[in-house]
Amino acid sequence: MAHDPLDGLVTFLAVAEHQSFSSAAVRLGVSPSAVSQSIRNLEARLGVVLFNRTTRSVSLTEVGTLYLARVAPSLRELLSAAQEIGDADGVPAGLLRLNVPRAGFMIALEPVLRDFLEAYPGVDVEIAIDNRLVDIVAAGFDAGIRYGDLVEKDMVAVKIGPPIAAHVVAAPGYLARHGVPEHPSDLLGHQCIGFRHLTNGQVERWAFERGGESLELAVRGRLIVNDSVAQMQAALDGLGIAYMISGYIERFVEDGRLVRLLEEWSPPMNGFTLYYPDRRRVPLKLRALIDFLRTHRPAVPLTRVDRVVR
């Protein structure tokens, strides 16, 4: 019996893009053993080895790289055509995979997620919470959400979510022990909870603006974290002063567990952007989400952090 020449190519593309059999399996919705078997069958049919495999890594061989360069453009066209046929009835459907930082999920996506799922029962949503900058195309995501200034120029970018700003907050107990800063420069004498960015490894500098005056401080403190929820919890525990964006602090300020400081110095920040590859046609499931986020933007972001606070 003649073999289908396209058999295994979608699996090959997924493994090549992810550099991982297990990640490709997640993307394709099959078992890792099924992925491995599909690649073995394809290699046997072609008479070549496409991947170097070790216990820790998967990489394309030289011939695998050449083969990918030849088949990937046509295969992506075929997959795009299949998507267009699937969208022909005009009803958004299918799995929508998103790569989102924690803050982007909490502020821009989570407040409208239930309504979106109810509005589009044919769309399933998978959200990967990831504060790193990743290649959403290689990782198999339909779209990503990031701060506007972090989106690559070759992506289509759509502003989403409410306006955000940076705020300085501390617990009443900390302020009772250490006093209230009256000017941003006073923070240099306080315990400030640092935040190390996963994207560049740098500890965040705190920026302030008032009128025509602006300054940026390299604050110091005994605690540095790389997660906003941990930073929020540390502030609630009275370990120091935190520099947080909108969406994390509102409820805690309202109930008195945190005090907002230096309010007149709070600078606006780049809001969130949904981005996706510049393709000829946007899948209906993604277009539905974009339109929904544009028309259902929350007016006031609400914090959800108290769900995990002790």
Side-chain angles (χ1 to χ4, degrees):
M1 180 182 294
H3 288 285
D4 180 356
L6 298 181
D7 184 34
L9 288 186
V10 172
T11 303
F12 167 69
L13 181 62
V15 175
E17 290 179 338
H18 286 277
Q19 299 288 288
S20 166
F21 280 67
S22 58
S23 296
V26 171
R27 174 176 170 181
L28 297 172
V30 299
S31 68
S33 62
V35 170
S36 182
Q37 184 62 51
S38 181
I39 295 299
R40 283 197 299 268
N41 292 342
L42 178 61
E43 290 177 327
R45 193 165 71 247
L46 295 174
V48 297
V49 176
L50 298 171
F51 293 100
N52 297 309
R53 305 164 173 84
T54 71
T55 56
R56 297 190 178 187
S57 66
V58 174
S59 62
L60 286 163
T61 61
E62 183 177 358
V63 69
T65 300
L66 294 174
Y67 189 60
L68 178 66
R70 290 293 301 274
V71 305
S74 298
L75 185 56
R76 290 191 176 104
E77 283 295 316
L78 289 171
L79 294 173
S80 178
Q83 178 68 57
E84 291 184 13
I85 293 298
D87 286 346
D89 61 2
V91 179
L95 177 63
L96 182 62
R97 300 188 71 237
L98 306 173
N99 186 278
V100 183
R102 186 191 299 276
F105 172 75
M106 293 174 56
I107 295 172
L109 193 57
E110 194 270 352
V112 302
L113 187 56
R114 183 179 65 182
D115 290 341
F116 174 77
L117 292 173
E118 290 178 352
Y120 297 99
V123 178
D124 298 329
V125 179
E126 178 181 342
I127 301 170
I129 303 297
D130 194 343
N131 290 332
R132 302 169 302 165
L133 292 177
V134 301
D135 183 340
I136 61 170
V137 176
F141 292 100
D142 296 289
I145 293 176
R146 288 293 179 271
Y147 293 107
D149 57 336
L150 297 179
V151 175
E152 297 292 339
K153 301 301 182 184
D154 61 347
M155 294 285 170
V156 178
V158 181
K159 291 183 178 180
I160 61 171
I164 59 175
H167 303 279
V168 179
V169 294
Y174 173 88
L175 298 175
R177 295 191 305 270
H178 301 282
V180 178
E182 302 293 338
H183 187 273
S185 60
D186 295 338
L187 293 170
L188 298 175
H190 280 266
Q191 288 294 321
C192 295
I193 304 166
F195 184 89
R196 189 179 298 278
H197 290 279
L198 293 175
T199 53
N200 58 21
Q202 300 296 311
V203 176
E204 183 176 40
R205 297 172 67 91
W206 294 11
F208 298 94
E209 294 180 8
R210 185 179 67 176
E213 184 180 0
S214 63
L215 68 157
E216 190 174 87
L217 300 176
V219 297
R220 299 291 300 275
R222 298 180 61 197
L223 179 62
I224 299 174
V225 298
N226 67 355
D227 180 85
S228 294
V229 170
Q231 186 182 28
M232 188 80 269
Q233 184 64 64
L236 288 165
D237 290 342
L239 299 181
I241 297 176
Y243 186 81
M244 305 290 300
I245 65 171
S246 308
Y248 283 92
I249 65 171
E250 282 74 15
R251 188 171 301 173
F252 300 124
V253 171
E254 290 173 6
D255 67 17
R257 283 186 281 174
L258 288 176
V259 177
R260 185 177 287 163
L261 309 169
L262 304 170
E263 291 187 56
E264 70 277 14
W265 287 91
S266 296
M269 300 180 66
N270 286 305
F272 288 104
T273 294
L274 182 144
Y275 66 100
Y276 56 92
D278 188 2
R279 294 173 177 153
R280 291 180 304 170
R281 190 173 186 276
V282 181
L284 281 181
K285 58 187 178 181
L286 179 56
R287 173 54 59 192
L289 177 64
I290 293 171
D291 292 342
F292 198 88
L293 290 173
R294 281 173 163 169
T295 57
H296 294 74
R297 180 175 298 182
V300 179
L302 296 175
T303 181
R304 309 291 175 173
V305 182
D306 57 347
R307 294 178 182 172
V308 297
V309 170
R310 295 188 298 271

